[in-house]
Amino acid sequence: MRPAEPRSFETQPLIDRQDALQVDYWCKRLEVSAEDIDEAVRAVGPNRTAVAIWLGRPEAL
């Protein structure tokens, strides 16, 4: 039997560019502009971890 492991059924944490509140939150959290968020999402997709890494701000997560 496998040891107890934490399990999560959450989907990937995504940034919805169409949601102004989310964009505003991530701009403040990552200390970047909305244009930077848009550019990052176009470049690497909406995964918030990938966006933070692409922007050079992984410690902000």
Side-chain angles (χ1 to χ4, degrees), residues 9 11 17 20 24 30-31 33 51 56 59:
F9 296 99
T11 58
R17 291 186 338 189
D24 186 51
L30 297 173
E31 299 176 352
S33 69
V51 167
E59 72 283 353

Side-chain angles (χ1 to χ4, degrees), residues 13-15 22-41 44-61:
L14 304 177
I15 298 174
Q22 270 195 44
V23 172
D24 186 51
Y25 170 80
W26 286 108
C27 286
K28 290 176 184 169
R29 177 113 183 231
L30 297 173
E31 299 176 352
V32 297
S33 69
E35 292 79 21
D36 291 336
I37 297 285
D38 282 340
E39 183 180 350
V41 170
V44 298
N47 180 284
R48 69 182 182 200
T49 303
V51 167
I53 291 169
W54 193 85
L55 291 168
R57 304 284 301 150
E59 72 283 353
L61 295 176

